[in-house]
Amino acid sequence: MSTVNSANQPSGHSSARETEVIIIGAGVCGIYMLHKMLTQGREALVLEAGDDLGGTWYWNRYPGARFDSESYTYGYSFNREILEEWNWQEHFSAQPQTLEYLNFVADKLQVRPHMRFGARVTAARFNEQTNRWHVQLSNPDGSEGDEYICRFLCTAIGMLSAATYPRIPGAEDFKGESFHTYYWPKEPVSLAGRKVAVIGTGATGVQVISEIADKVGSLTVFQRRPNWCAPLHNSPISADEMQDIKARYDEIFAQCRATPNGFLHGPNRKPFDETTEAERLAYWNELYDSPGFGIWLSNYREVLMYPEANKIFSDFIADKIRARVNDPQVAEKLIPKDHGFGTRRVPLETRYYEAYNLPTTQLVDLTETPIERIDATGIQTSAEHYDFDLIIYATGFDAITGAFDRITFTGVGGQKLSDKWHDGPSTYLGAQVHGFPNLFTLAGPQSASVSTNFPPAIEAAVEWTADFIEWVSQHGYERVEASQAAEDEWVEHVKSFYAGSMLAETKSWFTGYNSNVDGHNILRHMVYFGGAHTYRQKLREIAEQGYEGFDFEGASVSRAAISRHAKSWRNGRTQW
């Protein structure tokens, strides 16, 4: 990495550090992208805001944090040595072992020396004269920090990494301990004997509540809207079972590639109307007693397509909740009334509903008694005041685009990415944005990475992007940018999967709704619902067509010549 002078430095800086590729984020995606770039012989650097690598699994260290996809499908598949050497301890790994796994991978691949930690990116500006990105860091005190210059800028900033807090007056007045689950302290948090509040019952809230309910003095849960939850059924993996998994890795990953969502669980294609009620109940009970997302993803297809079928299944799950919660009034408050099962991402739980049977647990329904303010000693609702020692905000994230909005990306003509995406993201393949050359949005909006099993999806996206960057370099281009026409066409393609979809009719982070963020109370087409296989096929087709839909600058090679050579270039490339 060289230090160069730049006429476009921010005030106070006379030089910047230059490298070919910068990757923002050292999570699952950033680690793999860095490995691919180094394997290609490129000068690459990861900039990570945290003190260490891990991304989601570095930040989310709250009690109960763990996978909801099977551990051995969440790990990387690209390296046989890693597969053979690593042993998962549980079918659904908890945060500590997952973070240990990512550190193991990083050390195995020897990528850590190419990472800079404590490097919070606040801005990135494209220089149209040099076709380079200028990346600005901030110092811990908030002042302007170092600047980097790169040819290719890749974002691996996570789809759930911009934590949001509820808009409650007085939160800063609370004298006890409080924090968002995303920022759970590294040092142990005392729970025994304490009066604890949890605000939020999304997937994170469900995990926290399940884990701490029997460990605190008292627990009060403030619920705005309940979610449909289903049992995780986690269990340890024995040594013999792990050896069997290792022997079947090829089969396991092939099965994941064959399912629409990249998990082991594929839909039941037997027509719903051709089953009897007894057959459905038997099958649903089998799913309910099985581990993982089968209850959601291995169900009859019609359950997520047609309101009538969805209601029948939702009633089945509602009865399960009633059977597990002793107080009928509490049970009814835990049953969603505003959406059907599976139309939002389903939290998987371990004795979540049983937590409300404890005499020390209380549920406050915010639709009946909303929070009015937080004060020095606790929370005031419209009905009463609650004293607390600890307030836990399990209030989720400004999903998918929130992490982008927290960095000022400035493209061609001074256009801000946050302005372009104000009413919803627009991309080409979820990989690039018109007006922002040489910027690759790994695991970005409108890609399959944000709607399917994450690691298999990012492996496909990273491998495709890495191949594309090498292709661009081989052909002498200095600048690559999605065309406006291709972007418009892709956005319409993404929208087409929302039409008539029950998921698209439900307010969730899939559809871009977040009441804690201004302007996010409208439908935004955030994710690719076409399925992992369809998305990979689209990527493959674009590559085979000489990367159609992109505009290039900086070489004299004709577009026709590029197309003629596309087939020879593809030989030996990864078939995503």
Side-chain angles (χ1 to χ4, degrees), residues 27-154:
V28 176
C29 184
I31 291 170
Y32 189 33
M33 187 62 183
L34 177 59
H35 169 67
K36 292 294 290 185
M37 293 295 93
L38 296 176
T39 301
Q40 288 182 3
R42 302 191 183 282
E43 193 175 46
L45 174 69
V46 162
L47 298 175
E48 166 57 48
D51 295 331
D52 206 341
L53 60 84
T56 290
W57 304 106
Y58 169 82
W59 294 102
N60 288 282
R61 58 181 67 90
Y62 60 84
R66 66 174 63 249
F67 290 156
D68 51 16
S69 56
E70 285 77 3
S71 303
Y72 35 90
T73 71
Y74 193 95
Y76 298 109
S77 68
F78 67 89
N79 185 293
R80 182 60 61 176
E81 286 188 11
I82 291 173
L83 292 172
E84 290 296 332
E85 294 177 16
W86 180 259
N87 296 307
W88 292 105
Q89 297 173 0
E90 298 177 87
H91 283 273
F92 301 92
S93 180
Q95 179 267 341
Q97 199 201 14
T98 305
L99 184 57
E100 181 185 347
Y101 167 75
L102 292 175
N103 277 277
F104 167 80
V105 171
D107 292 340
K108 184 74 176 178
L109 301 177
Q110 299 181 334
V111 296
R112 188 181 294 274
H114 303 273
M115 296 178 174
R116 176 176 172 181
F117 303 113
R120 183 172 297 278
V121 176
T122 56
R125 174 179 53 82
F126 185 71
N127 186 316
E128 297 179 58
Q129 284 68 50
T130 62
N131 291 321
R132 295 293 187 270
W133 279 95
H134 292 244
V135 180
Q136 184 66 55
L137 305 185
S138 66
N139 292 318
D141 63 2
S143 62
E144 193 173 83
D146 292 338
E147 183 183 42
Y148 287 85
I149 299 173
C150 64
R151 179 183 178 195
F152 299 110
L153 179 61
C154 303

Side-chain angles (χ1 to χ4, degrees), residues 92-317:
F92 301 92
S93 180
Q95 179 267 341
Q97 199 201 14
T98 305
L99 184 57
E100 181 185 347
Y101 167 75
L102 292 175
N103 277 277
F104 167 80
V105 171
D107 292 340
K108 184 74 176 178
L109 301 177
Q110 299 181 334
V111 296
R112 188 181 294 274
H114 303 273
M115 296 178 174
R116 176 176 172 181
F117 303 113
R120 183 172 297 278
V121 176
T122 56
R125 174 179 53 82
F126 185 71
N127 186 316
E128 297 179 58
Q129 284 68 50
T130 62
N131 291 321
R132 295 293 187 270
W133 279 95
H134 292 244
V135 180
Q136 184 66 55
L137 305 185
S138 66
N139 292 318
D141 63 2
S143 62
E144 193 173 83
D146 292 338
E147 183 183 42
Y148 287 85
I149 299 173
C150 64
R151 179 183 178 195
F152 299 110
L153 179 61
C154 303
T155 61
I157 50 183
M159 59 182 179
L160 297 173
S161 59
T164 59
Y165 290 82
R167 299 175 176 181
I168 303 173
E172 66 282 358
D173 296 331
F174 182 61
K175 300 302 183 184
E177 195 173 10
S178 66
F179 40 77
H180 194 285
T181 52
Y182 188 71
Y183 298 112
W184 194 277
K186 293 180 181 179
E187 60 275 6
V189 175
S190 175
L191 297 172
R194 302 183 78 186
K195 294 178 289 186
V196 179
V198 173
I199 302 177
T201 55
T204 297
V206 166
Q207 289 184 329
V208 170
I209 292 163
S210 302
E211 184 67 22
I212 72 171
D214 63 351
K215 299 176 177 62
V216 300
S218 67
L219 175 64
T220 305
V221 177
F222 293 87
Q223 173 184 271
R224 182 180 59 178
R225 54 193 300 220
N227 278 285
W228 295 101
C229 306
L232 177 65
H233 294 304
N234 188 29
S235 60
I237 298 177
S238 68
D240 288 343
E241 189 176 7
M242 192 65 235
Q243 287 305 118
D244 177 66
I245 289 169
K246 290 179 180 182
R248 295 188 298 109
Y249 263 132
D250 289 344
E251 172 191 340
I252 289 169
F253 291 127
Q255 184 174 344
C256 290
R257 285 192 295 270
T259 64
N261 297 95
F263 293 93
L264 289 173
H265 315 282
N268 185 334
R269 299 190 180 276
K270 184 174 183 178
F272 184 84
D273 291 339
E274 294 181 11
T275 61
T276 66
E277 181 179 0
E279 288 174 330
R280 290 197 296 266
L281 286 175
Y283 182 60
W284 287 342
N285 277 306
E286 178 186 338
L287 291 179
Y288 196 81
D289 293 336
S290 300
F293 273 137
I295 191 72
W296 185 27
L297 303 177
S298 292
N299 217 317
Y300 300 101
R301 298 174 66 209
E302 291 87 345
V303 167
L304 292 180
M305 296 171 62
Y306 303 118
E308 298 82 4
N310 185 273
K311 184 180 186 308
I312 295 171
F313 183 69
S314 297
D315 289 343
F316 168 83
I317 297 294

Side-chain angles (χ1 to χ4, degrees), residues 482-548:
S483 73
Q484 186 63 65
E487 182 175 294
D488 292 343
E489 184 177 345
W490 182 254
V491 171
E492 291 304 311
H493 176 66
V494 170
K495 287 181 179 180
S496 70
F497 293 108
Y498 280 68
S501 167
M502 293 188 67
L503 276 72
E505 296 170 357
T506 302
K507 292 183 178 181
S508 72
W509 61 265
F510 281 161
T511 49
Y513 288 93
N514 189 319
S515 61
N516 295 318
V517 182
D518 289 332
H520 288 188
N521 58 348
I522 59 173
L523 170 64
R524 295 180 295 141
H525 300 91
M526 306 288 281
V527 305
Y528 184 79
F529 283 134
H533 175 75
T534 303
Y535 183 73
R536 290 195 303 271
Q537 180 62 31
K538 288 285 185 181
L539 293 180
R540 188 177 301 115
E541 289 173 359
I542 296 301
E544 290 174 350
Q545 295 163 4
Y547 297 100
E548 185 177 13

Side-chain angles (χ1 to χ4, degrees), residues 332-350:
E332 292 306 313
K333 291 179 180 180
L334 292 169
I335 296 171
K337 306 299 191 296
D338 61 345
H339 68 285
F341 183 93
T343 59
R344 303 176 73 188
R345 199 177 197 276
V346 178
L348 297 181
E349 47 82 21
T350 300

